[in-house]
Amino acid sequence: GGDKYLCGECAVLLQDEMERMISECEEDCQAYQQALQRLERAQGSSPSREQPLAVREFEREMERCRKEEEEEEAKVADLERQLEDLERERAQLKSQAGDLDRSEADYWRRHNHLSFELEAFAEERAGLVSKIGVACAQLDALKRTNIYNDVFHIWHDGPFGTINGFRMGKTGKVQVEWDEINAAWGQAVLLLHTMASSCEEFEFSQNKLMPMGSYPKVSDGKNTYELYGPVTQFLTANYDKAMCVFLQCLQEFSVYAKQYDIAHQTKPPFQLPYKIEGDKVCSHTVRLRFNINDKWTKALKYLLANLKVTLVWLTSSGPVGRRQRGERRQAD
């Protein structure tokens, strides 16, 4: 290495930097001297002027101070760990408090909901108890009355036979709605089914009645037929079959009624006012297909008349009438 030379600009910068560092060092020296002077004056003014410590004693004192410092630092570290633990515990407690608040809010919501339901159930129960009381009173009243005559009122309205006010059939002048005819058939099926069920020793041989409101059905043991409309006179096969099955059921029950009277020596024995033969009542067919509405309506009127007479028999000399008379005698 040979000598290296600086350019003029770099030499100026280096000189300024050296002067600045020298100035700072001089200021530091002055500060140290002033501090040393203040310390000497303070020591000189103290009543018990202490002598400088020996080297060994100074080292022991420094060692003790270092130990105390280490102990304090250990305490500080331990306290910091405890503080961290407490902060974590505080966060957990805060989270648990939030969970408890939510649980409490949910509890009160459910409590209010259940209270509302309980109140509603109590009101409903009170209403049901009241209804049961009314129903029991009505049941007692019904036990003392002939429910068959009260529930099933068969009469006539001009060319129509009626049951509970529902007309059965149609005429050229009066086109009864199918809803009304269906309701009439529903009542008729329910009545005959109820009468047959009230006689313990009677059962249809193969046919079956299925009362279903305004949509009654019947069965011949093989097939089930709908006894409700609307139907047309050209598409009535199943409807005609259903009416014929009902007519067979009525005829079979009338035969049972006659045999019952003969067995109980009731004279004269029961007999239908309008003879039933196959699909005809008093020579008028109940089939709608290729029939005239007026004739069909007359056949249905005769059918209802037979049904009414059968009901009168059941509640007078028939099984129901005999049971009611026996119950009245026991009550007396």
Side-chain angles (χ1 to χ4, degrees):
D3 295 334
K4 294 181 180 180
Y5 301 96
L6 296 174
C7 64
E9 185 178 354
C10 292
V12 172
L13 292 175
L14 179 60
Q15 182 179 356
D16 292 341
E17 181 66 19
M18 293 296 293
E19 290 177 354
R20 185 186 63 78
M21 293 176 63
I22 292 170
S23 177
E24 289 179 357
C25 289
E26 290 177 348
E27 291 177 358
D28 289 342
C29 289
Q30 292 178 0
Y32 289 144
Q33 288 178 354
Q34 292 173 2
L36 181 59
Q37 291 173 359
R38 286 195 300 272
L39 181 60
E40 290 177 350
R41 284 195 300 268
Q43 290 178 348
S45 61
S46 176
S48 57
R49 187 171 183 177
E50 297 181 357
Q51 298 295 326
L53 296 175
V55 175
R56 289 185 179 179
E57 187 177 354
F58 175 76
E59 290 177 353
R60 285 196 299 270
E61 187 66 19
M62 288 298 293
E63 183 66 22
R64 184 183 65 79
C65 291
R66 280 195 295 270
K67 289 182 180 179
E68 287 182 358
E69 182 181 4
E70 291 175 356
E71 292 175 358
E72 293 300 324
E73 288 178 352
K75 290 180 181 180
V76 170
D78 185 58
L79 290 174
E80 287 178 348
R81 285 194 297 272
Q82 292 181 14
L83 180 60
E84 291 176 356
D85 294 339
L86 290 173
E87 287 294 337
R88 284 194 296 271
E89 186 176 356
R90 177 178 175 276
Q92 292 176 355
L93 291 175
K94 186 176 180 180
S95 176
Q96 292 175 1
D99 293 339
L100 288 174
D101 289 340
R102 288 188 291 272
S103 297
E104 183 180 7
D106 182 63
Y107 165 78
W108 284 114
R109 279 196 299 270
R110 290 186 289 109
H111 177 272
N112 292 336
H113 179 70
L114 291 175
S115 297
F116 176 77
E117 286 189 343
L118 181 61
E119 184 177 352
F121 288 151
E123 293 178 357
E124 183 179 0
R125 179 182 179 279
L128 290 175
V129 169
S130 176
K131 289 181 180 179
I132 290 172
V134 173
C136 289
Q138 292 176 345
L139 179 61
D140 291 338
L142 288 173
K143 287 181 178 179
R144 295 190 294 270
T145 61
N146 188 331
I147 62 171
Y148 296 95
N149 293 330
D150 291 340
V151 174
F152 301 99
H153 178 66
I154 298 176
W155 200 239
H156 59 84
D157 181 8
F160 300 99
T162 64
I163 178 168
N164 288 338
F166 298 115
R167 293 171 294 181
M168 189 179 285
K170 294 175 180 283
T171 67
K173 295 181 180 180
V174 182
Q175 293 295 311
V176 180
E177 296 292 335
W178 276 106
D179 287 344
E180 184 175 349
I181 298 173
N182 295 340
W185 272 118
Q187 294 292 303
V189 171
L190 178 60
L191 173 56
L192 185 54
H193 174 78
T194 303
M195 290 194 298
S197 300
S198 67
C199 301
E200 297 177 355
E201 65 275 18
F202 175 76
E203 186 175 353
F204 292 116
S205 57
Q206 63 180 14
N207 297 327
K208 182 180 180 182
L209 299 174
M210 290 173 279
M212 301 172 67
S214 295
Y215 302 93
K217 297 180 181 180
V218 297
S219 172
D220 60 1
K222 297 179 181 179
N223 300 301
T224 299
Y225 305 96
E226 297 174 346
L227 188 49
Y228 57 86
V231 296
T232 65
Q233 287 187 326
F234 301 101
L235 299 172
T236 63
N238 289 338
Y239 189 68
D240 287 346
K241 180 63 178 178
M243 290 188 289
C244 290
V245 170
F246 180 86
L247 196 61
Q248 292 171 11
C249 290
L250 180 57
Q251 170 66 11
E252 187 174 355
F253 190 76
S254 69
V255 171
Y256 159 75
K258 183 176 182 179
Q259 294 173 348
Y260 184 91
D261 279 353
I262 293 173
H264 290 81
Q265 299 180 351
T266 301
K267 296 181 180 180
F270 176 78
Q271 186 174 351
L272 290 174
Y274 301 103
K275 188 176 181 180
I276 297 176
E277 293 180 311
D279 63 347
K280 295 181 176 63
V281 185
C282 194
S283 302
H284 290 77
T285 181
V286 296
R287 294 182 182 273
L288 181 58
R289 191 176 188 184
F290 304 128
N291 200 354
I292 299 173
N293 281 338
D294 293 64
K295 291 184 178 181
W296 178 56
T297 301
K298 184 173 289 187
L300 297 181
K301 186 176 182 180
Y302 290 152
L303 182 149
L304 285 178
N306 280 345
L307 192 60
K308 179 179 178 65
V309 172
T310 306
L311 175 60
V312 173
W313 168 82
L314 180 69
T315 57
S316 57
S317 60
V320 173
R322 288 180 178 274
R323 283 199 301 269
Q324 290 178 343
R325 288 193 294 272
E327 290 172 357
R328 283 195 292 269
R329 284 195 296 269
Q330 291 179 357
D332 295 339

